[in-house]
Amino acid sequence: MTLKPAALVPHFLIPFLLLPALLSAAGSGGINAPDQRDKPYLILISIDGLGWDARGRTDTPALDSLAERGVVARSMQPVWPSLTFPNHYSIATGLYPSQHGLVGNHFASADRQGWYTTGNRDEVENPVWYAGEPIWVSAEKAGMVSAAYFFVGTEAPVQGIQPSHFFLFDSSVTGQRRVEQAIEWLSLPEDRRPHMIALYFEHVDEASHDHGPSAPETAAVIRQVDNYIATLLEGIEELPFGDEVYVIVVADHGQSAYLAPDEAYVLSEHVDIGEARIVQGGNYVLLYYDDPDAAAIDELVSGINRTWEHGRAYARAETPRHWRVTDDGRYPDVFIQAELGHAVITDEASRGAIHEGAHGWPPDSVGMGASFIAAGGRLPRGVEIGEIHVVDVYPLMLEILELPTPQGYEAEPSELGGILLSE
């Protein structure tokens, strides 16, 4: 799933909509405080859908170069659900969905009276959905200018704060333009120059959905995005302070192909789901009931699990512990999750939910692992570490930017902890 608004913004409005955000007094106001001007610079790059194994499918000289002079994780495990919005926001906050609020791409409010959907711009920009403290808010609160060219959460005033510079998502903006803007930001005078920049590229995810993760068309798109990274790295090298710039490349999840899409488990052929509001993605079905009945839910879950070989249904309280699901009403009442490579749909009319490539399978499935590459000043060179988790990125970013840890936040142990070398 990529970041898509309900409709394209009219072209005549774009110059006005792309102006820097008006910040609350708690932000930097677009000016770096004197004590922030000597801090390092960090560019966080998300390549949506770039799995841990994607670089092995084609030539990626820019990403390979970054890996050779930095740190590479064998894989980075997403949170449940392995979808775009919850994982991007977990990267940005270091929190799990149950903590930061984005429990899916499409989900109900706790009272079931409202819905968050990625295509509803009013909801995407509504701060009521977002908890935690994303890295750009941490920066702005410290008096450090931040910027973003598309990243989940930057379009809403979280804690009343947004990046000093940000853009409303528009897929017609080329990756090249996004990179050029990042270099332009870094070329500003030091009092206005962002120290924290987030960039987002949706192209690999889209190609993987349309053609499959191993298709030649997807490989071509990976090479294209690698070219964007090459342009960015070249621009950084030309800066007089280029050695002070850290680059972290992440993905929100990997991508896999369906093994036998024609053999999808069709719920309507086995059970009656009743009057439910349905969220489905081809490999999962989530059911929300206005008046959930525990006995009926138990019967439904049991019926599915008796008749399905390649997946499992759960009542909310029975979900796997590592999914970290709570009793929050934003979560569905019934979770129906296919095993990696397998499909589940509500009925035959829903087969359109099955694409050539997908994510949304269990986050600990090998095919859902994401990429992580980081390079810069105090990071060791040419080091490969084991599997990390998307929530491990945030504390590393705090440490790089020398920002205070938010009150109440505690990082989990990971191989990224203590990885920065002494100055």
Side-chain angles (χ1 to χ4, degrees):
M1 186 60 140
T2 54
L3 303 155
K4 293 185 178 180
L8 289 177
V9 176
H11 289 294
F12 70 87
L13 286 178
I14 288 176
F16 302 97
L17 293 174
L18 301 190
L19 290 172
L22 295 175
L23 301 176
S24 73
S28 71
I31 301 295
N32 287 305
D35 63 345
Q36 300 298 330
R37 296 177 189 179
D38 291 332
K39 297 284 185 70
Y41 298 84
L42 170 63
I43 304 178
L44 173 65
I45 303 169
S46 169
I47 305 176
D48 195 323
L50 189 76
W52 63 273
D53 56 347
R55 286 192 296 133
R57 295 184 178 134
T58 189
D59 296 328
T60 55
L63 289 172
D64 293 347
S65 172
L66 197 67
E68 289 169 3
R69 58 185 178 90
V71 178
V72 180
R74 182 178 70 244
S75 177
M76 185 166 71
Q77 186 180 134
V79 295
W80 189 94
S82 54
L83 302 177
T84 295
F85 272 53
N87 276 280
H88 274 94
Y89 204 55
S90 284
I91 290 168
T93 62
L95 301 175
Y96 289 88
S98 58
Q99 299 168 307
H100 64 55
L102 293 191
V103 303
N105 283 348
H106 309 277
F107 58 91
S109 59
D111 62 5
R112 304 292 171 88
Q113 298 302 303
W115 279 82
Y116 182 100
T117 63
T118 60
N120 185 325
R121 176 146 301 286
D122 288 340
E123 300 305 332
V124 167
E125 296 180 28
N126 186 347
V128 72
W129 298 105
Y130 304 85
E133 183 172 301
I135 187 65
W136 53 87
V137 172
S138 299
E140 293 285 342
K141 288 172 71 172
M144 176 184 286
V145 176
S146 67
Y149 218 131
F150 311 150
F151 206 94
V152 172
T154 57
E155 297 177 23
V158 180
Q159 299 184 27
I161 300 172
Q162 288 173 276
S164 296
H165 311 275
F166 73 93
F167 295 83
L168 299 183
F169 183 75
D170 179 353
S171 61
S172 71
V173 178
T174 66
Q176 183 69 20
R177 176 60 202 138
R178 302 175 202 188
V179 165
E180 290 170 352
Q181 179 63 73
I183 297 301
E184 290 172 17
W185 279 327
L186 289 172
S187 301
L188 290 170
E190 68 171 5
D191 62 333
R192 296 188 289 118
R193 185 185 304 151
H195 282 254
M196 191 280 138
I197 297 174
L199 299 176
Y200 171 77
F201 300 101
E202 71 276 14
H203 314 83
V204 173
D205 180 76
E206 292 182 342
S208 296
H209 281 304
D210 291 343
H211 306 288
S214 300
E217 295 89 343
T218 302
V221 173
I222 293 173
R223 292 193 297 271
Q224 180 187 53
V225 174
D226 189 74
N227 286 336
Y228 300 149
I229 305 302
T231 299
L232 177 65
L233 297 179
E234 291 167 3
I236 291 172
E237 289 177 3
E238 294 175 0
L239 296 169
F241 54 91
D243 59 351
E244 301 173 35
V245 180
Y246 289 76
V247 176
I248 297 179
V249 175
V250 298
D252 47 351
H253 50 70
Q255 294 273 51
S256 290
Y258 286 95
L259 298 174
D262 293 339
E263 300 176 12
Y265 181 84
V266 183
L267 289 169
S268 63
E269 296 178 359
H270 302 278
V271 294
D272 180 4
I273 65 173
E275 293 295 324
R277 287 183 281 181
I278 302 165
V279 177
Q280 62 181 319
N283 45 29
Y284 63 90
V285 176
L286 309 176
L287 303 178
Y288 289 81
Y289 293 95
D290 291 334
D291 187 18
D293 178 270
I297 287 175
D298 287 344
E299 182 179 352
L300 171 62
V301 167
S302 297
I304 294 170
N305 292 336
R306 282 196 308 270
T307 57
W308 193 16
E309 182 181 356
H310 298 296
R312 186 168 179 83
Y314 305 91
R316 189 191 302 159
E318 300 169 350
T319 53
R321 180 173 296 181
H322 66 275
W323 289 8
R324 307 218 180 196
V325 170
T326 67
D327 198 37
D328 190 321
R330 293 189 181 193
Y331 282 109
D333 299 295
V334 177
F335 301 66
I336 305 170
Q337 176 74 76
E339 295 174 354
L340 182 67
H342 294 277
V344 57
I345 52 178
T346 53
D347 51 34
E348 287 296 333
S350 302
R351 284 196 176 272
I354 303 174
H355 301 284
E356 292 297 318
H359 48 97
W361 281 292
D364 53 340
S365 303
V366 64
M368 294 297 93
S371 291
F372 173 88
I373 307 171
R378 295 172 56 201
L379 284 165
R381 298 175 66 91
V383 171
E384 182 173 337
I385 61 176
E387 185 176 69
I388 62 172
H389 199 284
V390 292
V391 300
D392 300 333
V393 181
Y394 177 73
L396 175 63
M397 295 191 291
L398 286 177
E399 191 174 1
I400 288 172
L401 293 172
E402 302 171 19
L403 294 171
T405 301
Q407 185 175 4
Y409 173 79
E410 185 174 348
E412 296 188 348
S414 86
E415 292 198 45
L416 291 179
I419 200 168
L420 290 184
L421 304 173
S422 301
E423 295 189 61

